[in-house]
């Protein structure tokens, strides 16, 4: 019987993991199934572009993995049983249970409402495709002069606010944040951000706690109100509840706790990569939810799985950061260079060159998904049955 590897989620992390596993392990004795809710690869870093009416290139996962032995299974994952080693799926034909020997959990994340009343009912977000399409429809229908409030002063909030303001100069766009907007950036980057907000006419509300969202805007902690006809909630990401409903060890964030090889610390046949897993980076700091973490996490997991099953030394991939790339609409941006543990340095690129670099990085990430096995030397090795049995029975 073949060793069954099931990868849940074909985002940046899951798709990379599946492609790399197919390049490392022999199809004679390994089976790889990649489950994803959407039949296409969703370029999540461009959801603010989708929301503002831009059309994204379609990449069907079945085309992406054609010619590899990865079987793409479009379906919704509804539950995982890590003790029985099964996954429950549902698609248009109904519910099904599939079994695995090794699971790679890469279901990503969604918008975090932080328990603020009214967010789910009244706010829009851009953390996924359906949500971005909903906002796109709303923005298409609103008249000139409509007030749009983006809540969240992090990367996603900044990108969403500037994209909306650039795309719809007739709207009245504001951004609100609990702390400072872009306050993790260097002074130079923040000064540039301010200039761009001024140029695009974006009103900034800082140190503003949002207590409630309703259909007239938001109520702030100081019992004030910011009126808005459209509220876009970008105050961070949270994981889907599936992992936390299992016996896997998860952190407070709901992310699966993994070791340096991205293997669950509680269940050795489960690996978690991307936003769904929490691993330590340089200096022991948890890696941040990002493509910049998710892609190398996927490489590490795939290499560790292949090495364990084939009796080889596990390679170590050093996951470190280089830069944070922020788009400010299509014609401006900030490239903030960072230390390996993600602290800003004084090196910054801004303006059109930064926009070009950001575009290059996003396009490069999507290209590498669309060509899962290109530029990787093929070393398809056979699973060693005795090692497989030992690997599967290991307790942490
Ligand atoms: C607007 C925006 C801009 C961003 N910009 C950047 C950036 O510039 N740089 C950066 O590093 N990061 C950025 N991020 C964050 C980045 O997109 C995420 O960290 C990254 O996508 C995580 O990769 P992942 O593979 O873990 O999850 P995802 O890319 O979210 O992939 C998860 C996959 O799992 C599927 N899935 C989820 N639940 C189920 C289910 N129940 N059943 C079946 N399939 C399911 C989803 O459809 C998806 O295909 C941005 C995010 C947003 C929203």
């Amino acid at each position: 019987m073949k060793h069954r590897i099931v990868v849940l989620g074909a985002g940046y992390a899951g798709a990379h993991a599946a492609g790399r596993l197919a390049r490392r392990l022999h199809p004679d004795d390994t089976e790889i199934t990649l489950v994803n809710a959407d039949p296409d690869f969703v370029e999540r870093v461009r959801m603010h572009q989708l929301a503002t009416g831009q059309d994204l290139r379609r990449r069907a996962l079945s085309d992406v993995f054609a010619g590899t032995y990865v079987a793409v299974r479009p379906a919704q994952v509804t539950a995982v049983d890590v003790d029985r080693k099964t996954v429950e799926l549902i698609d248009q034909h109904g519910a099904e249970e599939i079994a695995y020997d090794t699971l790679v959990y890469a279901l990503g994340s969604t918008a975090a409402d932080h328990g603020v009343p009214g967010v789910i009912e009244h706010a829009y977000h851009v953390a996924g495709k359906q949500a971005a399409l909903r906002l796109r429809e709303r923005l298409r229908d609103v008249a000139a002069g409509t007030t749009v409030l983006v809540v969240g002063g992090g990367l996603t909030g900044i990108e969403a606010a500037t994209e909306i303001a650039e795309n719809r100069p007739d709207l009245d766009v504001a951004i609100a944040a609990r702390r400072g907007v872009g306050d993790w950036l260097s002074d130079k980057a923040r000064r540039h951000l301010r200039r761009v907000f001024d140029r695009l006419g974006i009103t900034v509300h800082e140190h503003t706690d949002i207590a409630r969202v309703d259909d007239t805007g938001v109520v702030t902690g100081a019992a004030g109100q910011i009126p808005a006809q459209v509220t876009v909630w970008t105050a961070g990401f949270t994981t889907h509840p599936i992992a936390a409903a299992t016996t896997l060890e998860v952190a407070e964030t709901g992310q699966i706790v993994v070791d340096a090889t991205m293997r669950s610390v509680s269940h050795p046949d489960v690996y978690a990569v991307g936003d769904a897993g929490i691993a330590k980076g340089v200096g022991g700091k948890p890696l941040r939810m990002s493509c910049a973490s998710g892609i190398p996490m996927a490489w590490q997991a795939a290499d560790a799985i292949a090495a364990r099953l084939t009796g080889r030394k596990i390679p170590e991939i050093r996951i470190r950061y280089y830069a944070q790339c922020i788009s400010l609409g299509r014609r401006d941006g900030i490239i903030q260079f960072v230390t390996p543990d993600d602290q800003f340095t004084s090196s910054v690129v801004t303006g059109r060159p930064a926009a070009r670099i950001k575009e290059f990085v996003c396009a490069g990430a999507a290209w590498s998904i669309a060509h899962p096995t290109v530029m990787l030397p093929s070393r398809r090795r056979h699973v060693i049955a005795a090692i497989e049995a030992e690997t599967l029975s290991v307790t942490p």
Side-chain angles (χ1 to χ4, degrees):
M1 191 169 152
K2 292 186 181 183
H3 185 93
R4 296 159 303 178
I5 301 178
V6 173
V7 181
L8 303 183
Y12 293 93
H16 268 283
R20 196 154 170 126
L21 282 164
R23 204 67 170 174
R24 297 269 186 263
L25 292 166
H26 207 285
D28 281 357
D29 43 27
T30 321
E31 217 173 74
I32 303 171
T33 306
L34 177 60
V35 183
N36 200 57
D38 200 300
D40 297 341
F41 168 64
V42 175
E43 222 179 324
R44 204 172 148 203
V45 299
R46 293 193 194 271
M47 288 302 105
H48 54 307
Q49 292 177 243
L50 186 66
T52 50
Q54 297 165 55
D55 290 325
L56 305 184
R57 182 166 166 190
R58 201 184 150 223
R59 292 183 177 86
L61 288 167
S62 53
D63 293 342
V64 165
F65 287 96
T68 73
Y69 69 99
V70 174
V72 174
R73 177 81 161 80
Q76 185 81 27
V77 177
T78 52
V80 176
D81 186 331
V82 287
D83 302 312
R84 288 176 53 240
K85 298 195 190 182
T86 56
V87 177
E88 282 174 36
L89 307 178
I90 191 156
D91 63 13
Q92 73 272 29
H93 306 295
E96 196 196 334
E97 186 178 90
I98 60 169
Y100 64 82
D101 297 307
T102 298
L103 184 74
V104 180
Y105 187 103
L107 291 182
S109 63
T110 184
D113 70 0
H114 301 293
V116 174
V119 172
I120 293 167
E121 299 86 339
H122 301 290
Y124 293 80
H125 71 84
V126 289
K129 185 169 150 188
Q130 294 315 319
L133 288 174
R134 210 177 128 245
L135 177 59
R136 178 185 174 112
E137 251 178 56
R138 177 80 173 119
L139 291 176
R140 195 185 51 207
D141 293 343
V142 295
T146 296
T147 335
V148 178
L149 175 67
V150 176
V151 179
L155 178 145
T156 311
I158 292 170
E159 291 198 334
T162 49
E163 199 78 34
I164 295 169
E166 183 184 85
N167 226 270
R168 289 290 306 270
D170 58 325
L171 302 181
D172 199 353
V173 180
I175 187 166
R178 172 178 275 167
R179 300 187 330 217
V181 175
D183 62 358
W184 77 98
L185 298 167
S186 62
D187 288 348
K188 184 179 172 197
R190 271 185 306 195
R191 278 197 301 275
H192 184 72
L193 190 56
R194 283 313 161 116
R195 277 195 295 273
V196 174
F197 283 161
D198 288 347
R199 172 170 61 77
L200 294 172
I202 298 172
T203 309
V204 180
H205 304 273
E206 294 190 312
H207 309 290
T208 303
D209 242 328
I210 309 295
R212 200 174 71 236
V213 181
D214 60 32
D215 55 5
T216 62
V218 300
V219 175
T220 64
Q225 219 218 354
I226 306 175
Q229 282 138 295
V230 182
T231 300
V232 184
W233 192 264
T234 65
F237 298 136
T238 186
T239 51
H240 301 287
I242 293 173
T246 67
T247 54
L248 283 165
E249 184 171 329
V250 297
E252 260 177 39
T253 54
Q255 291 168 290
I256 298 169
V257 183
V258 294
D259 65 15
T261 67
M262 307 304 138
R263 191 187 213 183
S264 154
V265 296
S266 61
H267 291 71
D269 37 31
V270 177
Y271 291 72
V273 293
D275 290 1
I278 187 160
K280 289 184 185 141
V282 173
K285 265 177 62 179
L287 296 173
R288 102 182 114 88
M289 287 186 182
S290 62
C291 297
S293 318
I295 294 172
M297 285 170 89
W299 295 339
Q300 177 65 76
D303 287 0
I305 292 167
R308 285 193 172 115
L309 291 176
T310 58
R312 308 185 79 81
K313 190 169 172 290
I314 298 172
E316 260 179 49
I317 292 171
R318 221 173 141 232
I319 303 182
R320 49 162 293 169
Y321 298 103
Y322 299 92
Q324 294 189 17
C325 306
I326 306 170
S327 69
L328 304 172
R330 292 301 90 207
R331 294 183 285 279
D332 211 325
I334 294 174
I335 308 299
Q336 171 69 70
F337 290 92
V338 296
T339 57
D341 66 345
D342 215 21
Q343 304 300 312
F344 69 77
T345 68
S346 55
S347 299
V348 180
V349 178
T350 58
R352 214 173 260 271
R356 285 204 196 99
I357 295 171
K358 168 83 189 196
E359 178 52 35
F360 179 76
V361 168
C362 292
W367 188 91
S368 65
I369 297 281
H371 301 84
T373 56
V374 171
M375 291 197 301
L376 261 184
S378 180
R379 286 186 226 103
R380 288 181 182 161
R381 300 190 195 280
H382 289 282
V383 170
I384 301 172
I387 292 179
E388 182 195 15
E390 196 184 309
T391 305
L392 295 177
S393 64
V394 171
T395 45

